């Protein structure tokens, strides 16, 4: 029987649709590139260390044409050392949740 790696379990346990989402995301005082997005969170490329459990502030526009960026709190839920981090959005407002869901549904 083949043993599952922790990151495989994370991928297999996802309950929400994910879409490819390549954008620059402001995280704290830096900029990282995202690779995917779901209603629950996103994956960010990051060679710097972010500890699991760390809280981060994110700022990004779903589309370049958006006038006002989303400003969200998130928590690092897993780390791929030297590659990136998965973050879960926290305390999404109803309005932000609806915006993200509509964007995902259109892609």
């Amino acid at each position: 029987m083949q043993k599952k790696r922790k990151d495989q379990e994370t991928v297999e346990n996802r309950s929400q649709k994910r879409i490819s989402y390549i954008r620059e995301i402001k995280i704290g005082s830096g900029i990282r590139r995202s690779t995917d997005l779901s209603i629950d969170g996103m994956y960010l490329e990051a060679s710097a260390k972010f500890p699991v459990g760390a809280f981060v502030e994110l700022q990004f526009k779903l589309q370049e044409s958006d006038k006002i960026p989303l400003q969200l709190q998130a928590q690092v839920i897993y780390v791929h050392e030297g590659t990136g981090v998965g973050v879960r959005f926290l305390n999404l407002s109803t309005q932000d949740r609806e915006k993200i869901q509509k964007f995902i549904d259109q892609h």
Side-chain angles (χ1 to χ4, degrees), residues 1 4 9 11 15-16 19 24-25 28 40 44 47 55 57 73 75 79 83 88 90-91 95 97-98 104 107:
M1 184 175 187
K4 282 187 187 178
E9 290 175 9
V11 170
S15 60
Q16 301 295 328
I19 61 168
E24 286 191 349
I25 308 296
D40 292 331
L44 301 168
S47 57
F55 295 97
E57 298 285 330
Q73 294 179 335
Q75 184 174 25
V79 175
T83 304
R88 177 181 299 135
L90 302 173
N91 306 318
Q95 183 179 11
R97 179 173 284 281
E98 289 172 356
I104 290 169
H107 292 86

Side-chain angles (χ1 to χ4, degrees), residues 12-69:
E12 291 171 7
N13 290 335
R14 289 180 181 153
S15 60
Q16 301 295 328
K17 176 182 175 184
R18 288 197 170 257
I19 61 168
S20 177
Y21 186 71
I22 311 300
R23 297 276 196 288
E24 286 191 349
I25 308 296
K26 184 175 181 187
I27 179 170
S29 60
I31 302 286
R32 300 288 186 262
R33 190 171 92 153
S34 66
T35 59
D36 65 36
L37 173 71
S38 78
I39 191 66
D40 292 331
M42 63 180 19
Y43 189 82
L44 301 168
E45 294 178 347
S47 57
K49 290 190 177 190
F50 286 91
V52 170
F55 295 97
V56 294
E57 298 285 330
L58 305 177
Q59 185 176 30
F60 61 97
K61 293 181 178 181
L62 285 171
Q63 301 180 84
E64 290 300 319
S65 61
D66 290 351
K67 290 182 177 20
I68 300 171

Side-chain angles (χ1 to χ4, degrees), residues 75-92:
Q75 184 174 25
V76 176
I77 55 171
Y78 63 90
V79 175
H80 294 141
E81 285 296 326
T83 304
V85 298
V87 299
R88 177 181 299 135
F89 300 140
L90 302 173
N91 306 318
L92 277 180

